[in-house]
Amino acid sequence: MPDTTSSPVALIHDLLARKRYAVSELDANVLRIQDLESGIVLRAVLEGEILFLSLVCMVVPRAKITSELMKKMLAADNGISTSHFQLYDAGDNQIAVTLNNFCKLQELGPDDEDDVLSCVSFLLADVVHAKDLIGADLQAA
């Protein structure tokens, strides 16, 4: 039975920490999550009942984001089926290439815990595929 006295973010924080992730609260609804084995960092934002997870793959000059690169990122058969790419303006003519996914939380019971852990695992696996898929295209000129 989940602890109903703690905030949902605190419960998610505790779950991830118990699974050996380094977790810190950046804001009331924002967590920084680091996989200790790989060093990869992602963020989780809780909005209502939806937990959004995001991982910055790379920040690159805007000119690196070509139509051919976008076709690779959007292709249905690109090997990344549990997450999706998004591009964000990072200022100074730079673009942040991110992988994202989300899960809907119900009661923060065992099913939700599995969903949260799966989403984190999927992002960590998908970033490996993303490196293979677009890494060479995004290397510094």
Side-chain angles (χ1 to χ4, degrees), residues 100-140:
N100 307 270
N101 64 24
F102 66 92
C103 60
K104 184 172 194 268
L105 305 177
Q106 305 287 325
E107 315 170 339
L108 285 171
D111 287 344
D112 288 334
E113 289 181 357
D114 285 346
D115 289 349
V116 170
L117 293 171
S118 293
C119 282
V120 170
S121 294
F122 293 153
L123 276 177
L124 293 172
D126 286 344
V127 75
V128 173
H129 291 297
K131 181 180 179 190
D132 292 341
L133 179 70
I134 63 172
D137 295 323
L138 295 177
Q139 295 303 312

Side-chain angles (χ1 to χ4, degrees), residues 11 17 21 26 28 32 54 69 83 96 121 129:
L11 293 171
Y21 291 100
L26 301 177
R32 178 186 185 273
S54 184
L69 179 72
S83 305
S121 294
H129 291 297

Side-chain angles (χ1 to χ4, degrees), residues 5-17 21-34 41-46 51 108:
T5 62
S6 295
S7 74
V9 171
L11 293 171
I12 294 165
H13 180 153
D14 179 63
L15 167 67
L16 293 168
Y21 291 100
V23 184
S24 56
E25 293 185 31
L26 301 177
D27 200 340
N29 293 327
V30 181
L31 295 173
R32 178 186 185 273
I33 305 159
Q34 183 175 19
V41 174
L42 54 122
R43 302 249 170 141
V45 177
L46 183 63
L51 183 68
L108 285 171

Side-chain angles (χ1 to χ4, degrees), residues 23-79:
V23 184
S24 56
E25 293 185 31
L26 301 177
D27 200 340
N29 293 327
V30 181
L31 295 173
R32 178 186 185 273
I33 305 159
Q34 183 175 19
D35 176 60
L36 295 176
E37 196 171 303
S38 67
I40 296 171
V41 174
L42 54 122
R43 302 249 170 141
V45 177
L46 183 63
E47 290 286 334
E49 296 177 344
I50 308 295
L51 183 68
F52 295 95
L53 295 118
S54 184
L55 182 156
V56 177
C57 297
M58 192 178 286
V59 177
V60 298
R62 184 177 301 278
K64 290 278 187 179
I65 307 300
T66 65
S67 61
E68 285 305 310
L69 179 72
M70 287 190 279
K71 285 178 189 175
K72 285 183 183 182
M73 290 189 293
L74 293 173
D77 62 350
N78 69 6

